[in-house]
Amino acid sequence: MLPSDDRTWENNDVTRRRENSERLEAAAKLVVPGGVYGHGALTTRAHPRFFESGTGAHVTDVDGNELIDFMCGYGPNLLGMGHPRVEAAAERQRRKGDCFSGPTARWVELAEALVERIGHADWAMFTKNGTDATTLCTTIARAATGRRKILVARGAYHGAAPWCTPSDAGVPAEDRAHLLHYRYNDLESVAEAVARAGDDLAGIMVSPFRHDTFVDQELPTTEFARGLRRACDRAGAVLMIDEVRAGLRLARGGSWERLSVDPDLSAWGKALGNGYAISAVVGREDLRDAARRVYATGSFWYGGVAMAAACETLAVADEIGLPEMLTATGQQFRAGLEELATANGFSLRQTGPPQLPMVLFEGDTDFSLGKFFTGDAIDRGVYMHPYHNMFLSAAHTPAIVAEALERLSGSFESLRRYVDAAGPEGSR
Amino acid sequence: MLPSDDRTWENNDVTRRRENSERLEAAAKLVVPGGVYGHGALTTRAHPRFFESGTGAHVTDVDGNELIDFMCGYGPNLLGMGHPRVEAAAERQRRKGDCFSGPTARWVELAEALVERIGHADWAMFTKNGTDATTLCTTIARAATGRRKILVARGAYHGAAPWCTPSDAGVPAEDRAHLLHYRYNDLESVAEAVARAGDDLAGIMVSPFRHDTFVDQELPTTEFARGLRRACDRAGAVLMIDEVRAGLRLARGGSWERLSVDPDLSAWGKALGNGYAISAVVGREDLRDAARRVYATGSFWYGGVAMAAACETLAVADEIGLPEMLTATGQQFRAGLEELATANGFSLRQTGPPQLPMVLFEGDTDFSLGKFFTGDAIDRGVYMHPYHNMFLSAAHTPAIVAEALERLSGSFESLRRYVDAAGPEGSR
């Protein structure tokens, strides 16, 4: 086994400037617990912590290192950073005003746009964080059914509120008292959890595909999706799809429409405003009254600018045929990575939909290969993640993907040299 | 008693255009549960539901009615809508980029600015909604103490998450299992709640003054504030001030610094970015480690634009001496209202700090006077609230406040005529 030291990548033959990043990180540690917290801290020492600018598929860190960005802000960058049409639409609203004591006309326009494009959506509600949207789904499901139990897949991420955060620091057990778990793509485990819920099953939450950190992604089987729908129908419970991470990249409407499975509620976020802070819940007619009874609000939830950005994001996505476009460049990226890995004697695990690439090295249980590889890739100007799914945007053109692969060719070679130098125990 | 019909104000002698507002509300009802939900729906039928534009202290509804706005978006508008310096700072960051896979340098700058100005702040964390900030406070308090009970004042609003939402629709009892209540300014009730918490008291949350909807506002007595501090110190519990609604309007730093009472944590939001979506938690050194252990994140929480806006908002607020400025115009507004009310034979209850005006009519238990008055005021171009505290911004100049009072003179006369026409039972 190679050591899983975050700094191994520094043994490569490329260097980049890191002074400003390190200086800012030290300054941050004085005034922010841990310096940087949250998903941006899930990366390795190789990853720049602070960003200076970005446009399209490129970001530049505070040391002036330009990177082809395969994280897209963990999802929000759907069309390319600073997309001209989205920015123009936001600017038009901004000149009028953003944060009033009630909504603007964009509220109606965006709700109409979501209702039009998502099969199961008869209405929409707007929130700010993805967590707001998933939490609101559970509250509506409980209000509608008068029941309490919510089923989620073991290991799935549905946000950072006490009921769903992956950490238990500061979270009393009661916040999760009505949470039951099943295994993704395992209807038997669903049936067991449904049985445990008894007559108290409010709903089942599920991601459109399994996109847990650290492990292979997994597409849902049609049988699994339909089985969840059937389980909810039988129990009079609410099926909820958490589209926050994957929504809009997989399909124009709901991600499970291709499986002919409609949920009762779905939560959307991240990509919806192409970087502007907005999330949403949409739902079926029979849940409208429960949704109306729930108290949901936030200081900035009427903000017209993010809604204007979202309306334009959806319009642009439709014009360019976004899911198909991302599928094509995702397949190009996947095939190119596969070829480079093979040429250098590595075996990759590339799983899930190509629009949200997940790249793990076969047998790399401590992610030492992934950490060295992504560290080296960042040195060569490609921002990748060693154990979290990545994201493509419409700005990731075939030429940019080809350029990224060209740079990554050096990273595979560098990894080969590193593994070979580590001797027999280091080989895979 | 006058009937509490929301439409009574229509008997006044002013009319305004409402067609677009009604058309949009009807359209919204088709695609959003209830049409408009949240705090914007707390108003009466007289209030315009949809806004077109705003600048400074003025907003214009979708029918072109311009209003002097005393709600300020329920708080966010601190310096005036579209404040040129805040917008310029936001635009500079926007050109570089907003939503990256990690923070920008604004993260450090804003944390430093908060630590500099707030006495008890040794560090800061950034969130998006006010609810995120209050919830994070409770999680940090629990992580730090390893205990569970949180005390809040009966009737206080701390956000819309399941643990604190004013509605219980869809909220299992377990979400509030560790919540205990005291009465504001009543140390005996605090002592009782502390006793009930036993050795499980994680912390006490308190608003800088009592600003509950529907009732008189109440400033904290020094004895009460110090008593809470003492209670926390004795129990080894965490004192948390929820500054989301009032923060920055009452003082440059923490609102209780004038009482020489420092909390351990405080939650900030609304006004922090002058309308840009950002909130924050700040805290003392001894809670840094607990804050670091809590998992807190959101898709848009690194957004640099709102942080740039917040940095500039704080700088402008300091240059103009914001709390003093708002106090002066608040006193002008209060005195003018008092004079007009008296001249027309009404008695007002104006309570709390003048920066956040609360105006109730004496004996108006069903708010019928308040509803008629604010409905008439809106017809005359002054946006006021019948039973929620209002907000002043730096754009509410003495001249604008005088103009508002001039218009409201008509509303008091209109209310007088209405009450007199209602006959003896209608008199107050």
Side-chain angles (χ1 to χ4, degrees):
Chain A
M1 289 289 284
L2 288 165
S4 166
D5 180 355
D6 268 12
R7 306 198 79 102
T8 51
W9 102 94
E10 290 177 346
N11 298 313
N12 73 2
D13 55 0
V14 202
T15 57
R16 70 183 135 103
R17 293 182 304 282
R18 295 168 59 81
E19 299 79 26
N20 290 340
S21 200
E22 284 173 3
R23 183 183 53 75
L24 269 171
E25 198 169 348
K29 281 194 169 134
L30 298 177
V31 288
V32 176
V36 173
Y37 56 84
H39 55 282
L42 286 176
T43 44
T44 70
R45 297 273 333 148
H47 288 74
R49 279 281 183 277
F50 290 89
F51 293 88
E52 177 64 22
S53 61
T55 179
H58 292 81
V59 293
T60 301
D61 72 11
V62 288
D63 288 291
N65 303 301
E66 194 186 59
L67 300 144
I68 300 173
D69 176 21
F70 285 98
M71 285 311 288
C72 295
Y74 286 71
N77 174 20
L78 181 72
L79 302 174
M81 282 194 77
H83 189 279
R85 277 181 54 188
V86 175
E87 294 305 317
E91 175 63 16
R92 281 194 296 278
Q93 182 60 44
R94 194 179 296 117
R95 280 202 210 106
K96 296 181 185 174
D98 183 20
C99 190
F100 298 96
S101 298
T104 66
R106 307 294 86 72
W107 173 274
V108 180
E109 291 160 13
L110 181 55
E112 288 174 346
L114 292 173
V115 165
E116 181 276 318
R117 71 192 294 124
I118 302 169
H120 62 279
D122 293 313
W123 51 262
M125 292 175 78
F126 304 113
T127 51
K128 219 59 185 164
N129 303 310
T131 302
D132 299 336
T134 55
T135 303
L136 184 55
C137 282
T138 66
T139 309
I140 294 172
R142 286 167 167 155
T145 59
R147 307 177 192 163
R148 299 173 300 177
K149 303 294 178 197
I150 302 283
L151 269 52
V152 296
R154 176 83 54 197
Y157 180 76
H158 295 299
W163 74 271
C164 55
T165 165
S167 160
D168 60 3
V171 178
E174 283 80 357
D175 281 329
R176 300 170 184 187
H178 298 300
L179 225 51
L180 292 166
H181 293 89
Y182 62 89
R183 287 182 300 278
Y184 205 92
N185 268 341
D186 179 349
L187 283 177
E188 204 169 306
S189 71
V190 172
E192 285 165 20
V194 166
R196 279 202 303 281
D199 57 5
D200 201 17
L201 181 66
I204 303 179
M205 185 170 284
V206 65
S207 305
F209 68 96
R210 187 181 179 211
H211 47 51
D212 307 348
T213 313
F214 303 115
V215 296
D216 291 336
Q217 301 194 136
E218 210 175 313
L219 290 171
T221 65
T222 304
E223 187 199 359
F224 174 67
R226 294 188 183 163
L228 288 184
R229 179 70 271 176
R230 243 190 339 267
C232 285
D233 289 344
R234 274 199 206 117
V238 176
L239 181 59
M240 301 167 273
I241 301 189
D242 176 357
E243 298 265 18
V244 172
R245 193 181 303 181
L248 299 179
R249 281 185 169 85
L250 298 189
R252 179 179 184 273
S255 294
W256 278 12
E257 288 173 21
R258 69 176 180 87
L259 304 175
S260 299
V261 173
D262 277 333
D264 303 296
L265 292 172
S266 56
W268 301 73
K270 287 192 182 284
L272 185 55
N274 202 50
Y276 282 85
I278 185 161
S279 56
V281 170
V282 305
R284 286 159 60 118
E285 189 57 41
D286 54 359
L287 293 172
R288 185 192 294 259
D289 180 63
R292 196 188 47 70
R293 286 187 287 121
V294 162
Y295 189 71
T297 203
S299 306
F300 315 111
W301 289 17
Y302 297 133
V305 170
M307 293 184 195
C311 288
E312 193 69 14
T313 298
L314 295 175
V316 173
D318 284 352
E319 286 179 29
I320 63 180
L322 185 80
E324 297 74 19
M325 173 188 277
L326 299 187
T327 303
T329 44
Q331 285 166 340
Q332 175 196 356
F333 191 48
R334 180 170 289 185
L337 289 172
E338 180 61 28
E339 192 179 320
L340 291 171
T342 305
N344 287 281
F346 294 104
S347 182
L348 296 182
R349 301 180 65 88
Q350 298 195 76
T351 50
Q355 303 96 307
L356 293 95
M358 181 73 166
V359 181
L360 300 175
F361 283 82
E362 187 72 62
D364 188 31
T365 48
D366 65 354
F367 305 106
S368 57
L369 296 180
K371 287 177 180 176
F372 184 99
F373 176 77
T374 54
D376 187 278
I378 291 166
D379 278 350
R380 295 173 202 271
V382 184
Y383 190 87
M384 292 182 72
H385 203 293
Y387 40 70
H388 190 289
N389 76 265
M390 294 175 276
F391 300 85
L392 290 173
S393 83
H396 291 74
T397 59
I400 289 176
V401 171
E403 168 67 26
L405 289 167
E406 174 65 31
R407 297 183 194 180
L408 293 173
S409 150
S411 296
F412 278 107
E413 289 162 15
S414 182
L415 180 64
R416 182 75 264 157
R417 284 192 300 276
Y418 172 64
V419 170
D420 290 347
E425 304 105 89
S427 68
R428 302 274 164 160
Chain B
M1 289 290 284
L2 289 165
S4 166
D5 179 355
D6 268 13
R7 306 197 80 101
T8 51
W9 102 94
E10 290 177 344
N11 297 312
N12 72 3
D13 55 359
V14 202
T15 56
R16 73 182 133 102
R17 292 182 303 282
R18 294 169 58 81
E19 300 80 25
N20 291 340
S21 201
E22 285 174 3
R23 183 183 53 75
L24 269 171
E25 198 170 348
K29 281 192 170 136
L30 298 177
V31 289
V32 176
V36 174
Y37 56 85
H39 55 283
L42 286 176
T43 44
T44 71
R45 296 273 334 148
H47 287 74
R49 279 281 184 276
F50 290 89
F51 293 88
E52 177 63 22
S53 61
T55 180
H58 292 81
V59 292
T60 301
D61 72 10
V62 288
D63 287 292
N65 302 300
E66 196 187 57
L67 300 144
I68 300 173
D69 176 21
F70 285 99
M71 286 310 289
C72 294
Y74 286 72
N77 174 20
L78 181 74
L79 303 175
M81 282 194 78
H83 189 280
R85 277 181 53 187
V86 175
E87 293 305 317
E91 175 63 17
R92 280 194 297 279
Q93 182 60 44
R94 194 179 296 117
R95 280 200 212 107
K96 295 182 186 173
D98 183 21
C99 189
F100 297 95
S101 297
T104 66
R106 309 293 88 70
W107 173 274
V108 180
E109 291 161 14
L110 181 55
E112 287 174 346
L114 292 173
V115 165
E116 180 276 317
R117 71 192 294 125
I118 302 169
H120 61 279
D122 294 313
W123 51 262
M125 292 175 77
F126 304 113
T127 50
K128 218 63 186 161
N129 304 309
T131 302
D132 299 336
T134 55
T135 303
L136 184 54
C137 282
T138 67
T139 309
I140 293 171
R142 286 168 167 156
T145 59
R147 307 175 191 166
R148 299 172 299 177
K149 303 294 179 197
I150 303 283
L151 269 51
V152 296
R154 176 83 54 197
Y157 180 76
H158 295 299
W163 75 270
C164 55
T165 165
S167 160
D168 59 3
V171 178
E174 283 79 359
D175 281 329
R176 299 169 185 187
H178 298 299
L179 224 53
L180 292 165
H181 293 89
Y182 62 89
R183 286 181 301 278
Y184 205 92
N185 268 340
D186 179 348
L187 283 177
E188 204 169 304
S189 71
V190 173
E192 284 165 22
V194 167
R196 278 203 304 281
D199 57 5
D200 201 16
L201 182 66
I204 303 180
M205 184 169 285
V206 65
S207 304
F209 68 96
R210 187 182 179 210
H211 47 51
D212 307 347
T213 313
F214 304 115
V215 297
D216 292 336
Q217 300 194 135
E218 210 175 313
L219 291 171
T221 65
T222 303
E223 188 199 0
F224 174 67
R226 295 186 183 165
L228 287 185
R229 178 71 270 175
R230 245 190 337 267
C232 285
D233 289 343
R234 274 199 207 118
V238 176
L239 181 59
M240 300 167 273
I241 301 190
D242 176 358
E243 297 265 19
V244 172
R245 193 182 303 182
L248 299 179
R249 280 185 169 86
L250 299 189
R252 180 178 183 273
S255 294
W256 278 12
E257 288 173 19
R258 67 177 181 85
L259 304 174
S260 300
V261 174
D262 277 333
D264 303 296
L265 292 173
S266 56
W268 302 73
K270 287 192 181 283
L272 185 55
N274 202 49
Y276 282 85
I278 184 160
S279 56
V281 171
V282 304
R284 287 160 60 119
E285 189 57 40
D286 54 359
L287 293 173
R288 185 191 293 259
D289 180 63
R292 195 188 47 71
R293 285 187 289 119
V294 161
Y295 189 71
T297 202
S299 306
F300 314 111
W301 289 16
Y302 297 132
V305 170
M307 294 184 194
C311 288
E312 192 69 14
T313 298
L314 296 175
V316 173
D318 284 352
E319 286 178 30
I320 62 179
L322 185 81
E324 298 74 19
M325 173 188 277
L326 299 188
T327 303
T329 44
Q331 283 166 341
Q332 175 196 357
F333 190 49
R334 181 170 287 186
L337 289 171
E338 180 62 28
E339 192 179 319
L340 291 172
T342 305
N344 287 281
F346 294 104
S347 183
L348 295 182
R349 301 180 65 88
Q350 299 195 75
T351 51
Q355 303 95 308
L356 293 95
M358 181 74 165
V359 182
L360 301 175
F361 283 82
E362 187 72 64
D364 188 29
T365 48
D366 65 353
F367 305 106
S368 58
L369 296 181
K371 287 178 181 177
F372 184 99
F373 176 77
T374 53
D376 186 279
I378 291 166
D379 278 351
R380 293 173 202 274
V382 184
Y383 191 88
M384 293 182 70
H385 204 293
Y387 39 70
H388 190 289
N389 76 265
M390 294 174 276
F391 300 85
L392 290 173
S393 83
H396 291 74
T397 59
I400 288 175
V401 170
E403 168 67 25
L405 289 167
E406 174 66 30
R407 296 182 194 181
L408 293 173
S409 153
S411 297
F412 279 108
E413 289 162 17
S414 181
L415 179 64
R416 182 76 265 156
R417 284 193 299 275
Y418 173 65
V419 170
D420 290 347
E425 305 105 86
S427 68
R428 301 274 164 159

